[in-house]
Amino acid sequence: MTTTRVAILGASGYTGAELVRLLSRHPNMEIAALTADRKAGQSMADVFPHLAILDLPPLTAIDEVDWNGVDAVFCALPHATTQKVIAGLPKRLKIVDLSADFRLEDPAAYEKWYGHAHAERELQKEVVYGLPEFYREKVKSARIVANTGCYVAAAIIPLIPVLEAGLADPDWIIIDAKSGVSGAGRAAKEANLFTEVSEGFHAYSVAGHRHMGEIDQELSKAAGRPVTASFTPHLLPQNRGILATTYLKGEAQAIHARLAERFAGEPFVHVLPFGRTPATRHVRGSNHCLIGVVADRQPGRTILISVLDNLVKGASGQAIQNMNLMLGLPETAGLEQLALFP
Amino acid sequence: MTTTRVAILGASGYTGAELVRLLSRHPNMEIAALTADRKAGQSMADVFPHLAILDLPPLTAIDEVDWNGVDAVFCALPHATTQKVIAGLPKRLKIVDLSADFRLEDPAAYEKWYGHAHAERELQKEVVYGLPEFYREKVKSARIVANTGCYVAAAIIPLIPVLEAGLADPDWIIIDAKSGVSGAGRAAKEANLFTEVSEGFHAYSVAGHRHMGEIDQELSKAAGRPVTASFTPHLLPQNRGILATTYLKGEAQAIHARLAERFAGEPFVHVLPFGRTPATRHVRGSNHCLIGVVADRQPGRTILISVLDNLVKGASGQAIQNMNLMLGLPETAGLEQLALFP
Amino acid sequence: MTTTRVAILGASGYTGAELVRLLSRHPNMEIAALTADRKAGQSMADVFPHLAILDLPPLTAIDEVDWNGVDAVFCALPHATTQKVIAGLPKRLKIVDLSADFRLEDPAAYEKWYGHAHAERELQKEVVYGLPEFYREKVKSARIVANTGCYVAAAIIPLIPVLEAGLADPDWIIIDAKSGVSGAGRAAKEANLFTEVSEGFHAYSVAGHRHMGEIDQELSKAAGRPVTASFTPHLLPQNRGILATTYLKGEAQAIHARLAERFAGEPFVHVLPFGRTPATRHVRGSNHCLIGVVADRQPGRTILISVLDNLVKGASGQAIQNMNLMLGLPETAGLEQLALFP
Amino acid sequence: MTTTRVAILGASGYTGAELVRLLSRHPNMEIAALTADRKAGQSMADVFPHLAILDLPPLTAIDEVDWNGVDAVFCALPHATTQKVIAGLPKRLKIVDLSADFRLEDPAAYEKWYGHAHAERELQKEVVYGLPEFYREKVKSARIVANTGCYVAAAIIPLIPVLEAGLADPDWIIIDAKSGVSGAGRAAKEANLFTEVSEGFHAYSVAGHRHMGEIDQELSKAAGRPVTASFTPHLLPQNRGILATTYLKGEAQAIHARLAERFAGEPFVHVLPFGRTPATRHVRGSNHCLIGVVADRQPGRTILISVLDNLVKGASGQAIQNMNLMLGLPETAGLEQLALFP
């Protein structure tokens, strides 16, 4: 089997570092180029000392990349700047985009949630929304895949099969989500200082978080009609992990049976025995998503709890899973790493 | 003004230590006796070195206390053992009980949630449920007050006025609550080890937490009809703080106006400007409860967020607030301490 | 007793907030003015929501302060900018400076450690180095006091009496110090993000930390000859607290006896029983410094362990203690707050 | 290459779980048996949900193991109980013991540090002390290897080459060590609760920690004369990682050159460029040990900083490294995992 030479654009952020961590042990890919805008010229060891033992290409500016030596691209650039960059890449490259730039299929929705018109509406039409568990076949033949957002993946993986089967009221979906701090990236912001985050907890972007557009899009497809879920994100004093507690009007046993059947063959999605619930620490550093289903004491209501690592199944691991599909590789290649606990 | 001599029963737990911290700076109370079952014979300095600079009575067994030197009692004993102890105390003592033993007014409810019959059903009739913001007058003349539970206080303080005013649908209440680890007490349990809690997050007792009985009782009184809320507790990797995110069917502006008016004169409950939300770190170590109200993007739905320190407003601070009322003292005496941040 | 009206310059940093927390409960001082350079125009509630329940003056620029309404100043500005500001204040004001700008009595030492000439060498002569336990009398009559640095206070409080008494070899002092993150202030730096600090530990500025100049100055005075200690600072994944582990050549019992006697009457310095050692959590939020003395298994060597809260005894609490002395107030006024644990 | 069937004795502790995590991805070993005393009868998924996705043998008592199906043993039992267990195992088994029971070659030293006579003095003579970087050849032909302790490994890896080369004064070694909480194991102890550990820091077993006997043994061998280092362990509020700050009398450049040369070919020990220092987070979850060397400002003194993950290079990873050697496998097999950050 030949080795695919990959470039990581935006390697100086946490999702970039996570791609390096996973790809450096991938049996069929090798890292051919690493880019970082402001940190071009530095080595990855300077920027991420935990990766210093690897032999890696230097960080460069994007326009310094020799595309002849690259077969595929992971794009881990900030939202909004990504559109132009991807539009400018050679057309023969396979691309997984970890930003939000191509996730919303409707340009009007993009404009609503991001506050400006989409700059590459033609390119958008070509992009496949890339959650492997639901879009596997489309991903296999895609040239560009938009990787699902971290909160969105945690929320919709258990919800899509429930709504598709009509097992819950689409007008009665409340998603209370909690994320570790790494989801906010590595930018130096006062709000993300250790002193501002540790020993405390708060909600943010209440009723206004941008991931809602993406949740709406996918839940509406699943329900076959417009869905507007309530969604509240909170910031946990921990590095990694998202846990979504979702409240539904629907029968818990039926929901559990449906999810257990739907995900029985999935390598990375696991439904716990009825009544058991997962913790974020069970997936720290792994590409797994765990789902628990509990009957609420209110008859006819169900509580779903889903967890994943926002940097892995919620970003870089999922991206590699998508790329594996695009390249015809085993879907789990390079993603066998187990959770690190404690 | 005379000084009230108080005994703290169960001083070797976290709520006991917190009572000592606050009472040792209270202008009208002095600590006359401290008891601890297994740690009798030790000094408070041995058990809690952060209090070593205080001059405190030794830890003794309960039956060694000279009740002639005691005017009032804070009972911070474990659930279930408290009933007998309080029944055996001299009748002239003012008592605030921090356990759950006398919180449920209906003995049948007690039996349902705690799995055994209440041992002191006559005494129960005499007890006043002690959340000062709602039962102030009853507390003033009570001999025994049952201190509201920590999760319960965070949940019901904003909900009672809303339900009393009929501003939200009583059949549509979802309380997603998150607590710091100190709520679990100081018992040596594997589940509460640093290694098991840090860098992770999970729900527990989903659809089965005992505080539900107490929530039902108070919300039903407020609504004037039986209320069964959905309630899910989660464990935060932090020491102190409860945050409850509550989803309601009701108009946010009306709810905000009602809460702002209702709590305008309260020294310890503060309603933030409309659309702003609080963090647990804003009340760390203080007796304050902060409430935020946000309009959900689903028209007609409201998101309430309330925070308090589970060891202070959720336990020991609230207990002192109740005792201040019982003794005719200023309600805020000894409770002026501000939050510690960072 | 009249109330002293104080201004806090630099109120938007952590030491500024800590001054507000403590002074708002001080019986003899009131906060008359608060300044913050970049955040002028905002309220303290915006900048520090945990202080929102207080009725405070707005944040202004320094040149907007009406000095007629101010009797005393706490200057919590960044290093290097402070010199000019203090030189420009009315001469009748009592000033405690929390920066490093006036701590080094020798301008040459200042230039060596800070990389530029001192701008106010005449003013420097007037300044008293303000560690109350050692300079109490000088502080009482001082107009300007330079508050001891946080690492320095933790290191030298136990060392000065030992060196003064000749109980340890001045050429054999190794100070291994560990600090919580709040010592780095509130500036938005990548290195202080939650994700960069939590779940990890490292040394920094090894053999080059600026506090060394101050340690040299004070230990040399104590020993009566030049002293150059080894000093290594480390960053702890916690908000508050400094612990210094100091290795000495000297007899532990004699050192313990000396320290116990020397600090017997001190309200804020406590020597533990021989062989016992303190934890930073025992002083979280309080103005106390705890000292433990242990005999090393190497005969003739002693291990000293000292702890304090870097924001209180290491900064704002110590500053109030100094100001109390300058104003003729009881030294402990406003500083009775106990440690918050857990 | 044939697959070695291994048993893990004591699989319900953290080092046991870490062995499972690493061995389940080892190309040449398979887990044939798992034992756990009190948790016999449970599944590994019950005890460690993060490993639930693996297909593992059930936890049994030791005497239920079918030794015919086992080729090699990792013994992760508590100290003191291990001696008898290992003495009772079939003699054909290769064994790596992670406990302290066979680390001290001198039975008198064992008795001094552990307070009771060694029960298997004959067996002790057969055991090889197993730090691969220094005892590689002996380990290859050993039947039983005593895995180096976590603190010890962090301390002695940089020190042995320095002492062997006579580059530092053996009477002037101060090791200030800091460890994450997982080093204390999973036993339910009050001292290791989240509430007792987080947001604080302290030293423990000052001048009395049992690992000192092992440090003495190895440093004395290296120096060719008795060495008694000062050693102080501290508890960090984090899960994983040991950092040792070691103060030496010796020339830093020479020490750095010696270490860089000595470890140049080692796969798991890395010497940073002169003056750079490592953090525990750079080795979280990996089998690497990083070493930094800095010249102290005191001429002729050197500060060494070494880090490793106490559960990997300090325990389970090192054990696999030893077993790889004993079985003639590549030394790095199963140990390629990179550090997890953030």
Side-chain angles (χ1 to χ4, degrees), chain A residues 192-195, chain C residues 181 184-185 187 189-194 196-197 235:
Chain A
N192 296 330
L193 291 174
F194 182 89
T195 38
Chain C
V181 189
K189 293 181 186 164
E190 182 185 293
N192 296 329
L193 291 174
F194 182 89
E196 302 287 320
V197 170
L235 190 68

Side-chain angles (χ1 to χ4, degrees), chain B residues 8 38 49 54 69 102 128 155 161 176 233-234 250 259 292 302 313 324 340:
Chain B
I8 301 171
R38 280 167 307 174
L54 297 173
F102 292 99
V128 168
D176 192 276
H234 302 73
L259 291 174
T302 295
K313 184 61 181 165
N324 284 340
L340 189 75

Side-chain angles (χ1 to χ4, degrees), chain C residues 30 99 154 307:
Chain C
E30 75 175 29
S99 85
V307 299

Side-chain angles (χ1 to χ4, degrees), chain C residues 113 171-176 178 195-203 206-207 212 216 228-230 232 234 236-240 243 245 247 277-281 284 294-298 301 303 305 341-342, chain D residues 113 171-176 178 195-203 206-207 212 216 228-230 232 234 236-240 243 245 247 277-281 284 294-298 301 303 305 341-342:
Chain C
W113 288 102
D171 288 332
W172 209 102
I173 300 172
I174 289 139
I175 304 165
D176 193 275
K178 303 88 176 174
T195 38
E196 302 287 320
V197 170
S198 70
E199 263 297 299
F201 181 71
H202 62 276
V206 180
M212 283 182 180
D216 285 355
T228 307
S230 292
T232 309
H234 302 73
L236 289 165
Q238 67 187 55
N239 288 312
R240 288 168 180 253
L243 184 146
T245 310
Y247 300 86
T277 56
T280 63
R281 62 183 67 79
R284 191 189 303 152
V294 181
D296 194 8
R297 61 185 188 127
Q298 278 268 40
R301 286 196 200 166
I303 302 171
I305 298 186
F341 171 82
Chain D
W113 288 103
D171 288 332
W172 210 102
I173 300 172
I174 288 139
I175 305 164
D176 194 276
K178 304 88 176 174
T195 39
E196 302 287 322
V197 170
S198 70
E199 263 297 298
F201 181 70
H202 63 278
V206 181
M212 283 181 181
D216 287 355
T228 308
S230 292
T232 309
H234 301 74
L236 289 165
Q238 67 187 56
N239 287 311
R240 289 169 180 252
L243 184 147
T245 310
Y247 299 86
T277 56
T280 63
R281 62 182 67 79
R284 191 191 301 152
V294 181
D296 195 8
R297 61 186 187 126
Q298 278 269 41
R301 284 194 200 167
I303 302 171
I305 298 186
F341 171 80

Side-chain angles (χ1 to χ4, degrees), chain C residues 218-277:
Chain C
E218 295 304 309
L219 297 189
S220 298
K221 280 194 243 172
R225 37 155 289 193
V227 172
T228 307
S230 292
F231 170 74
T232 309
H234 302 73
L235 190 68
L236 289 165
Q238 67 187 55
N239 288 312
R240 288 168 180 253
I242 287 179
L243 184 146
T245 310
T246 301
Y247 300 86
L248 296 175
K249 209 174 227 168
E251 290 299 327
Q253 291 277 9
I255 287 172
H256 182 262
R258 172 70 187 129
L259 291 174
E261 183 196 15
R262 174 63 179 78
F263 294 121
E266 287 294 339
F268 296 121
V269 180
H270 308 274
V271 180
L272 304 188
F274 188 73
R276 299 278 284 269
T277 56

Side-chain angles (χ1 to χ4, degrees), chain D residues 3-7 32-33 65-74 85-96 123 126 140-145 323 326-327:
Chain D
T3 295
T4 301
R5 301 162 302 168
V6 304
V65 175
D66 174 9
W67 297 108
N68 292 322
V70 173
D71 306 309
V73 170
F74 292 95
V85 170
I86 287 184
L89 295 178
K91 298 304 175 206
R92 67 177 171 76
L93 296 173
K94 303 272 189 184
I95 301 169
V96 174
L123 197 56
E126 188 187 342
K140 283 181 183 173
S141 56
R143 187 175 76 83
I144 308 178
V145 163
M323 188 65 88
M326 295 164 82
L327 296 172

Side-chain angles (χ1 to χ4, degrees), chain A residues 171 176 199 230 239 296 301, chain B residues 171 199 230 239 296 301:
Chain A
D171 288 331
D176 193 277
E199 263 296 300
S230 293
N239 287 312
D296 195 7
R301 285 196 201 166
Chain B
D171 288 331
E199 263 295 300
S230 292
N239 287 311
D296 194 7
R301 285 195 200 167

Side-chain angles (χ1 to χ4, degrees), chain A:
Chain A
M1 193 174 279
T2 57
T3 295
T4 300
R5 299 163 303 169
V6 303
I8 301 172
L9 311 189
S12 65
Y14 292 139
T15 54
E18 200 68 351
L19 284 165
V20 171
R21 177 177 75 93
L22 295 167
L23 290 172
S24 64
R25 297 294 183 254
H26 194 294
N28 314 109
M29 300 195 202
E30 73 174 31
I31 298 171
L34 297 171
T35 80
D37 215 24
R38 279 167 309 174
K39 298 189 176 172
Q42 297 187 43
S43 72
M44 201 66 178
D46 291 331
V47 175
F48 285 114
H50 73 294
L51 299 173
I53 60 161
L54 296 173
D55 189 20
L56 292 168
L59 294 172
T60 68
I62 291 177
D63 53 19
E64 295 176 77
V65 175
D66 173 10
W67 295 108
N68 292 322
V70 173
D71 306 308
V73 171
F74 292 96
C75 191
L77 297 170
H79 304 315
T81 66
T82 299
Q83 292 160 39
K84 285 281 173 210
V85 171
I86 287 184
L89 294 179
K91 299 302 174 208
R92 67 176 173 76
L93 296 173
K94 302 273 189 185
I95 301 170
V96 175
D97 177 25
L98 287 82
S99 85
D101 273 22
F102 292 98
R103 290 181 195 152
L104 296 182
E105 295 162 4
D106 177 3
Y110 181 88
E111 192 161 344
K112 174 185 167 192
W113 288 103
Y114 291 90
H116 57 263
H118 199 286
E120 300 292 339
R121 297 171 66 145
E122 279 308 305
L123 196 57
Q124 175 70 59
K125 293 176 188 167
E126 186 187 345
V127 173
V128 169
Y129 184 79
L131 194 54
E133 286 74 13
F134 299 103
Y135 297 100
R136 188 166 278 130
E137 293 311 312
K138 285 190 177 176
V139 168
K140 283 181 183 173
S141 56
R143 186 175 76 84
I144 308 178
V145 163
N147 217 46
T148 300
C150 54
Y151 272 126
V152 183
I156 71 176
I157 289 176
L159 278 176
I160 288 176
V162 173
L163 293 178
E164 284 179 343
L167 291 172
D169 180 349
D171 288 331
W172 210 102
I173 300 173
I174 289 138
I175 304 165
D176 193 277
K178 303 89 175 173
S179 174
V181 189
S182 61
R186 206 184 198 187
K189 293 180 186 164
E190 182 185 293
N192 296 330
L193 291 174
F194 182 89
T195 38
E196 301 287 321
V197 171
S198 70
E199 263 296 300
F201 181 71
H202 62 276
Y204 64 99
S205 303
V206 182
H209 195 280
R210 287 171 167 184
H211 277 184
M212 285 181 178
E214 203 180 331
I215 294 174
D216 286 356
Q217 169 180 292
E218 296 303 310
L219 297 189
S220 298
K221 280 194 243 173
R225 38 155 290 194
V227 172
T228 307
S230 293
F231 170 74
T232 309
H234 302 73
L235 189 68
L236 289 165
Q238 67 187 54
N239 287 312
R240 288 170 181 252
I242 287 179
L243 184 146
T245 310
T246 301
Y247 299 86
L248 296 175
K249 208 174 230 169
E251 290 299 327
Q253 291 277 9
I255 287 172
H256 182 261
R258 172 73 188 125
L259 291 174
E261 183 197 12
R262 174 63 179 80
F263 294 121
E266 287 293 339
F268 296 121
V269 179
H270 307 274
V271 179
L272 304 187
F274 188 73
R276 299 276 284 270
T277 56
T280 63
R281 62 182 68 79
H282 301 159
V283 295
R284 189 191 302 151
S286 88
N287 198 49
H288 294 275
C289 172
L290 307 181
I291 299 171
V293 183
V294 182
D296 195 7
R297 61 187 188 125
Q298 279 268 42
R301 285 196 201 166
T302 294
I303 302 172
L304 282 183
I305 298 186
S306 48
V307 299
L308 50 75
D309 183 323
N310 54 296
L311 291 180
V312 191
K313 184 61 182 163
S316 304
Q318 186 202 131
I320 293 170
Q321 193 181 348
N322 277 318
M323 187 65 87
N324 285 340
L325 289 169
M326 295 164 82
L327 296 172
L329 298 170
E331 190 168 334
T332 59
L335 297 171
E336 296 86 354
Q337 192 155 96
L338 296 168
L340 190 75
F341 171 83

